[in-house]
Amino acid sequence: MLGCQPWPQDFAAFYRKMDCWRGETFGEMLRDRARELGEHIALTSGDKQVSYAALDRKVDQLAAGFQQIGIEKEDRVVVQLPNRIEFFEVCFALFRLGALPVFALPSHRYSEISHFCAFSEAKAYVVPDRFAEYDYLPMARKVQQNTPTLQHVIVAGDSEEYLALADLYSEAEFTAPEVKPDDIAFLQLSGGSTGLSKLIPRTHDEYIYSLRRSNEIVELNEDSVYLAVLPAAHNFPLSSPGVLGTLYAGGRVVLASGGSPDEAFPLIEQEKVTIAALVPPMAIIWLEAVKTRSYDFSSLQLIQVGGANFSAEIARRIQPAFGCKLQQVYGMAEGLVNYTRLDDPDDVIIHTQGRPMSPYDEIRIVDQEDREVEQGQVGELLTRGPYTIRGYYKAEKHNEKAFTSDGFYRTGDLVRMNEAGCIVVEGRAKDQINRGGEKIAAEEVEDHLIAHPNVLEVAIVSMPDKFLGERSCAFIIPHQQTPNKAELKVFLEERGIAAFKIPDRVEFVDTFPETALGKISKKALREIITKKLASV
Ligand code: OOB
């Protein structure tokens, strides 16, 4: 498999025998749904909508267009589109060609995109012209200049000197290559902890298994209407069960550009949404907004919340406020997804992050020496299973640390298992900040800051925040002159990093606290900033 670590043969045979992997591909899945459901609406976005049959046709036309410009099986294509119908046309067209979308988020900027393009040796990059007041073309130009493999920039909207996505739909025949169920379907992004995001190879068969299993747990069917408010490229809204799960079930997806109640609440009423997925800060905003706005939420059956720690105090308010069930979702782009079940007692739904979705998910909770801890004790979660990767894309060295020798993924999450067998996330061992569901690898941002002439040393840590759960704080030892905080922000913006990665706070210090081994003690830094915040 193209730069990837496949499942060992005996495991693959087992997952097939247990009927997890059924030999499905995304291209065929859409073909089947179009045959079965025809004019049933698949996707709604603003005043546009597309049926399963029409989506299937558009996908073929786009696949033909992609083929004409030379996109072939196994080519990588960085896709950075907001929640619009074209996003899924692009993805399925690439799936049918066996080409691999690399799922960037709309908030990514030059630094991230140029890394994804260079590292994946992308042949094409698909962008909107504008989204959320940002012009993508100047960034795309810079990316193209610096990525020798990049042959095409394809623009949804006003394309200027580049190819317009709208012009690629072609009536020409396209020759579909053989796409196998165990081929890689796409590359997703890791939240990262050591430097830049790693790429996560997901195959058709195992990802479709995760959809099928998620659908069973969430009871998704042809009557379901899924509201996508989170950026669809992310694993949670993509597959848990998300947009792809809904399409697998033959339901309808309503695409929203974001999670604001101004947009989402009228959509719930008009489109009779049955299920929506949120990160915790959005749930807080929705709970506030629902007090003053009266919309008909009677169609809503389930609100899923995941991606970051969700406090029990807030979790308990969902059901009474919206008259629907809550489901906590604790997952990761690398694979494992845990859900509370619809019929779990309130206590489980409010206080835990659920349990693995598959009976074949294997869980170990271990101490620092990889020894299993006693039941109920906190340790790092390791996992292996039918939809959890065995290695990152082209990252052999990193994989040695990120996986155990017997193939368990080291999640970096500190969890405990309660008596009911449910997982409670207690913290994190990895050097990452979870800013309301958006993941920041401390090292990645530290590497940018250290490039500033007045930064001698830097360490970024999380600080508690009522709304986002965590925000980021950069501790800096200045070099010669203390830099101005605003100037540091501009410096990072100019280097082109996603806005959510810019430290929320900067603290200048003379020295860093150290561990017994003489390393920077991030634990002590977290304590310093937590105390400081509590004292104001
Ligand atoms: C989801 O995926 P990623 O890859 O953006 O982030 C994974 C990490 C986990 O390792 C954990 O640290 C954190 O995000 N996380 C949670 C959580 N859900 C994810 N921490 C506490 N409570 C939760 N409920 O975030 C993701 C992927 C699929 C489904 C849901 C979330």
Side-chain angles (χ1 to χ4, degrees):
M1 267 203 305
L2 188 91
C4 303
Q5 182 67 42
W7 279 264
Q9 273 185 7
D10 50 340
F11 280 86
F14 177 70
Y15 298 143
R16 286 197 185 94
K17 182 166 159 237
M18 292 301 138
D19 206 30
C20 303
W21 302 355
R22 289 188 181 165
E24 295 169 285
T25 63
F26 281 104
E28 283 308 305
M29 167 200 130
L30 179 61
R31 192 78 82 214
D32 290 346
R33 294 301 169 274
R35 214 176 288 129
E36 297 152 9
L37 298 163
E39 297 314 308
H40 189 87
I41 300 301
L43 300 163
T44 302
S45 171
D47 52 7
K48 291 195 191 136
Q49 54 182 33
V50 63
S51 69
Y52 278 90
L55 180 63
D56 186 48
R57 276 194 303 276
K58 297 266 283 188
V59 164
D60 273 346
Q61 290 167 353
L62 191 53
F66 280 148
Q67 200 164 56
Q68 278 167 0
I69 63 166
I71 308 260
E72 294 172 0
K73 190 165 179 198
E74 296 192 352
D75 282 344
R76 274 79 62 201
V77 176
V78 173
V79 178
Q80 187 183 28
L81 290 175
N83 292 1
R84 293 188 198 143
I85 292 174
E86 295 104 303
F87 178 89
F88 297 96
E89 292 172 352
V90 168
C91 293
F92 277 93
L94 295 172
F95 293 155
R96 278 204 178 142
L97 291 173
L100 279 53
V102 180
F103 284 130
L105 298 173
S107 56
H108 285 136
R109 295 295 177 254
Y110 175 74
S111 159
E112 290 97 7
I113 299 291
S114 59
H115 165 64
F116 304 146
C117 285
F119 190 78
S120 71
E121 299 167 283
K123 197 182 249 182
Y125 169 37
V126 190
V127 278
D129 51 358
R130 268 183 88 72
F131 175 68
E133 291 169 36
Y134 183 71
D135 250 323
Y136 285 78
L137 287 192
M139 166 168 70
R141 284 185 193 109
K142 202 167 147 201
V143 169
Q144 199 192 23
Q145 277 160 17
N146 295 314
T147 316
T149 59
L150 202 62
Q151 295 176 11
H152 304 287
V153 171
I154 301 166
V155 185
D158 184 359
S159 64
E160 303 200 12
E161 74 270 36
Y162 291 121
L163 287 172
L165 181 67
D167 292 342
L168 284 180
Y169 295 79
S170 158
E171 292 297 338
E173 285 284 302
F174 86 95
T175 33
E178 191 194 355
V179 178
K180 296 203 215 68
D182 55 0
D183 284 343
I184 296 161
F186 52 81
L187 297 170
Q188 238 167 1
L189 311 177
S190 75
S193 54
T194 52
L196 297 161
S197 282
K198 304 288 179 294
L199 301 184
I200 297 172
R202 303 292 305 251
T203 74
H204 292 263
D205 229 3
E206 54 91 2
Y207 207 70
I208 290 178
Y209 169 60
S210 81
L211 305 181
R212 187 162 12 91
R213 195 56 204 127
S214 297
N215 285 353
E216 285 166 8
I217 287 170
V218 171
E219 297 179 4
L220 214 73
N221 58 43
E222 283 179 25
D223 299 323
S224 301
V225 181
Y226 178 88
L227 178 66
V229 298
L230 295 165
H234 186 269
N235 201 50
F236 180 21
L238 192 66
S239 70
S240 306
V243 178
L244 293 180
T246 306
L247 296 179
Y248 188 83
R252 184 157 71 93
V253 173
V254 176
L255 298 168
S257 59
S260 117
D262 292 344
E263 187 181 356
F265 286 7
L267 281 175
I268 294 174
E269 180 176 290
Q270 283 156 29
E271 305 292 342
K272 303 210 169 8
V273 167
T274 60
I275 166 171
L278 308 177
V279 286
M282 281 180 185
I284 295 174
I285 293 175
W286 281 31
L287 281 168
E288 271 311 298
V290 76
K291 290 183 190 159
T292 53
R293 284 179 236 191
S294 59
Y295 283 97
D296 180 4
F297 291 118
S298 59
S299 58
L300 206 52
Q301 295 165 4
L302 186 67
I303 291 181
Q304 301 177 291
V305 180
N309 183 42
F310 193 36
S311 95
E313 276 319 300
I314 299 165
R316 74 170 82 252
R317 290 162 48 196
I318 295 283
Q319 182 152 351
F322 291 94
C324 70
K325 288 192 173 167
L326 164 70
Q327 176 176 60
Q328 294 214 37
V329 187
Y330 160 45
M332 52 211 72
E334 286 80 358
L336 179 72
V337 179
N338 303 277
Y339 294 104
T340 57
R341 305 303 199 256
L342 303 187
D343 58 358
D344 274 340
D346 281 354
D347 191 46
V348 167
I349 293 176
I350 288 166
H351 291 278
T352 84
Q353 281 64 59
R355 49 191 186 278
M357 69 162 131
S358 167
Y360 311 107
D361 282 320
E362 297 172 76
I363 294 290
R364 275 188 205 152
I365 301 175
V366 301
D367 65 15
Q368 287 179 346
E369 270 79 50
D370 273 359
R371 286 180 307 228
E372 291 207 32
V373 299
E374 286 189 25
Q375 153 72 35
Q377 298 301 302
V378 176
E380 185 188 357
L381 176 68
L382 311 184
T383 185
R384 180 168 83 170
Y387 60 99
T388 296
I389 57 163
R390 291 300 189 116
Y392 291 101
Y393 180 73
K394 292 192 179 157
E396 249 169 75
K397 269 230 110 40
H398 179 72
N399 286 341
E400 284 170 21
K401 284 181 276 165
F403 295 82
T404 64
S405 55
D406 55 353
F408 279 74
Y409 167 58
R410 297 182 189 275
T411 66
D413 293 325
L414 297 176
V415 307
R416 71 183 160 82
M417 174 101 60
N418 74 6
E419 308 85 76
C422 289
I423 291 174
V424 179
V425 182
E426 295 281 2
R428 208 174 310 123
K430 56 191 168 191
D431 197 6
Q432 187 186 74
I433 294 117
N434 189 335
R435 194 176 182 278
E438 294 187 299
K439 317 300 181 320
I440 305 167
E443 189 185 276
E444 180 185 347
V445 185
E446 288 163 0
D447 286 348
H448 280 291
L449 277 171
I450 203 81
H452 190 283
N454 296 125
V455 173
L456 183 66
E457 279 190 71
V458 54
I460 298 182
V461 296
S462 65
M463 55 185 187
D465 182 77
K466 260 209 152 96
F467 176 56
L468 290 175
E470 295 173 11
R471 287 186 196 260
S472 62
C473 176
F475 281 88
I476 290 177
I477 302 178
H479 180 56
Q480 288 166 350
Q481 194 182 320
T482 302
N484 177 312
K485 290 178 188 177
E487 171 197 324
L488 286 175
K489 183 166 178 263
V490 172
F491 176 77
L492 290 176
E493 279 166 357
E494 281 172 355
R495 289 178 71 90
I497 67 170
F500 69 84
K501 294 181 186 171
I502 293 179
D504 292 291
R505 187 180 175 117
V506 177
E507 292 284 311
F508 296 109
V509 291
D510 297 331
T511 54
F512 288 144
E514 290 183 351
T515 65
L517 293 172
K519 293 203 298 185
I520 298 174
S521 170
K522 289 207 165 179
K523 184 165 172 274
L525 288 174
R526 274 192 295 273
E527 282 164 9
I528 291 170
I529 190 64
T530 306
K531 251 198 207 135
K532 194 161 174 179
L533 290 173
S535 69
V536 284

